[in-house]
Amino acid sequence: MIKIEHLVKNYGSHCAVDDISFEVETGEIVGFLGPNGAGKSTTMNILTGYLSSTAGKASIAGIDILSNPIGAKKLIGYLPEQPPLYLDMTVEEYLNFNYELKGCKLDRAAHLEQVCETVKIKDVYRKVIRTLSKGYRQRVGIAQALIGNPKVIIFDEPTVGLDPKQIIEIRNLIRGLGKDHTVILSTHILQEVQAVCDRIIIINKGKIVANEKTENISNVVANNRRFNIKISGPQKDILALLKNMQGISYVEALAERDGDAYTYMVESEFGVDIRKKLFFTLAERGWAIIGMESLGMSLEDIFISVVDKSEESKVRTNVRNRITRRQRGKDKNALEQELGATLYEDAQRQRAESMNTVVEDDDL
């Protein structure tokens, strides 16, 4: 549905978007992430036809945005970070205004009723927008994006400034829209992307540094490989047992102590859930488990790791060998760094393959 090919945007000597390529399939919800100044807004402005590109191509359903902007824009609904609302209008007046502005040919009454039902604003339909809460204003902004039933919807920071309840409501709304629309969601909040999106694209300094399905990242993040466990018993014997247990890749005795119980940081091998085996092994020896805490992985640290990796001047060729067991035990973020590096290297490989394809096409 959306195809971006070798897109470049220069502002004088500054390159805001540096030869990026990606596709979004029909019905897919894609999270577009990056730090401030990474090139997210520039890319979306090109995609919506607000800006022209220096080089490359962007198309919606096969329609080139630069050569046929009107045709492409008819397929797009856009909600910028600040919803384009006229505060002195009622919701009814505002949506009718957008209906006429877009030249919508659908049955007006039925279509606007459907839009209001989708975003759940029927109860404020005749209220002045100025009197609405932040959450309702955001919903009205989404409603204007849906007018004309566009195939593609682009959201720029749709939950900024909302309270937790409103954030959950907007997330559920976006997830529902993905059933009938292709959605691009730009945000700084990685948990938001994990909750809503099918795929994550991370951009930094104008280049794509990660492009991966959300479920692949979520499976790794949710993998219980690392936890703190408090065990009652002789520390020396327990430590020796844990170090020699099959399926455990690293163990370290921590300084925490509770009576005769000591805390150990345990990391299992990839794909191995050691908890049941650990429970029965310790029980056989009469050593009681007092507590167990899963350390998990930090999505924020993974994001930071991908961005940091893209800024390194020298790429590590074997991340796993560079992270020693001692470092993995002491550095709580080691696994996040490893995953971040892997995502970055995958993006680099995809970029190289894309460049090779262009060279081969030129040779033809």
Side-chain angles (χ1 to χ4, degrees):
M1 178 59 69
I2 300 173
K3 189 172 185 179
I4 290 181
E5 304 172 85
H6 303 285
L7 200 66
V8 176
K9 178 61 178 179
N10 295 325
Y11 294 101
S13 60
H14 173 65
C15 184
V17 177
D18 187 5
D19 191 19
I20 67 171
S21 300
F22 65 86
E23 295 185 31
V24 182
E25 301 297 331
T26 301
E28 191 175 22
I29 304 178
V30 171
F32 196 46
L33 296 93
N36 290 330
K40 300 191 306 297
S41 295
T42 299
T43 302
M44 288 191 298
N45 284 334
I46 294 173
L47 197 56
T48 57
Y50 182 72
L51 289 176
S52 62
S53 59
T54 303
K57 181 180 179 181
S59 59
I60 306 291
I63 301 175
D64 186 273
I65 292 173
L66 189 60
S67 62
N68 186 5
I70 301 300
K73 288 177 181 179
K74 288 181 179 179
L75 303 177
I76 300 172
Y78 179 45
L79 176 67
E81 184 175 348
Q82 296 296 328
L85 305 177
Y86 292 96
L87 301 182
D88 293 329
M89 286 184 174
T90 65
V91 175
E92 180 182 15
E93 292 169 340
Y94 177 71
L95 295 183
N96 275 278
F97 168 73
N98 276 275
Y99 178 93
E100 295 177 2
L101 190 66
K102 293 184 177 183
C104 186
K105 303 300 183 183
L106 300 172
D107 179 85
R108 184 190 296 253
H111 180 53
L112 293 184
E113 182 178 0
Q114 180 186 20
V115 168
C116 290
E117 179 66 31
T118 300
V119 300
K120 295 180 172 57
I121 57 171
K122 293 181 71 173
D123 55 334
V124 298
Y125 190 58
R126 289 184 169 82
K127 289 188 176 182
V128 177
I129 295 175
R130 185 185 300 279
T131 65
L132 302 181
S133 67
K134 173 75 173 177
Y136 268 114
R137 292 187 188 186
Q138 205 75 351
R139 287 176 180 273
V140 174
I142 294 174
Q144 65 80 25
L146 294 180
I147 290 177
N149 197 24
K151 294 183 178 181
V152 174
I153 303 176
I154 300 175
F155 294 114
D156 190 358
E157 302 287 355
T159 61
V160 169
L162 301 184
D163 64 38
K165 182 176 182 296
Q166 293 168 338
I167 288 174
I168 293 173
E169 291 173 348
I170 296 299
R171 286 178 182 176
N172 290 337
L173 174 57
I174 294 173
R175 191 183 296 114
L177 292 174
K179 298 176 182 179
D180 302 309
H181 305 270
T182 300
V183 180
I184 292 183
L185 169 64
S186 172
T187 180
H188 289 86
I189 307 172
L190 202 55
Q191 287 91 340
E192 192 163 283
V193 170
Q194 185 187 25
V196 174
C197 299
D198 303 311
R199 185 153 53 93
I200 297 174
I201 297 175
I202 302 177
I203 186 172
N204 186 45
K205 293 187 175 179
K207 294 184 178 181
I208 290 177
V209 296
N211 185 350
E212 186 59 80
K213 286 188 175 295
T214 310
E215 63 182 17
N216 294 341
I217 297 178
S218 297
N219 289 340
V220 176
V221 170
N223 193 9
N224 291 306
R225 290 183 59 191
R226 184 177 54 189
F227 50 89
N228 285 343
I229 180 170
K230 186 181 292 186
I231 307 171
S232 176
Q235 185 186 61
K236 182 178 179 181
D237 294 339
I238 292 174
L239 193 59
L241 172 70
L242 296 176
K243 286 183 176 179
N244 292 313
M245 185 177 293
Q246 186 177 2
I248 293 179
S249 61
Y250 180 81
V251 179
E252 181 181 352
L254 304 181
E256 300 176 29
R257 180 177 178 178
D258 182 6
D260 66 340
Y262 296 86
T263 300
Y264 308 84
M265 201 290 290
V266 177
E267 182 182 327
S268 67
E269 295 175 356
F270 187 81
V272 176
D273 189 343
I274 199 69
R275 291 172 296 176
K276 288 183 179 180
K277 180 180 179 181
L278 188 57
F279 172 83
F280 289 115
T281 301
L282 292 171
E284 287 175 359
R285 289 162 174 76
W287 297 334
I289 295 177
I290 305 300
M292 183 180 293
E293 176 191 8
S294 177
L295 299 179
M297 281 190 178
S298 166
L299 288 170
E300 289 90 348
D301 285 343
I302 292 170
F303 172 79
I304 293 171
S305 177
V306 172
V307 172
D308 287 347
K309 177 68 181 176
S310 70
E311 295 175 353
E312 291 180 5
S313 58
K314 184 177 181 180
V315 177
R316 289 178 294 182
T317 58
N318 193 331
V319 177
R320 195 173 295 273
N321 289 341
R322 290 288 304 272
I323 302 176
T324 66
R325 285 192 172 187
R326 191 68 179 172
Q327 289 170 328
R328 288 157 68 111
K330 288 190 173 183
D331 185 357
K332 185 177 182 298
N333 298 326
L335 293 177
E336 287 88 336
Q337 293 170 1
E338 182 176 350
L339 177 57
T342 301
L343 292 173
Y344 174 73
E345 288 164 2
D346 286 345
Q348 291 297 95
R349 175 181 51 77
Q350 294 170 11
R351 179 184 173 91
E353 291 174 353
S354 175
M355 292 298 293
N356 289 337
T357 301
V358 171
V359 171
E360 291 172 3
D361 289 344
D362 288 344
D363 289 343
L364 295 175

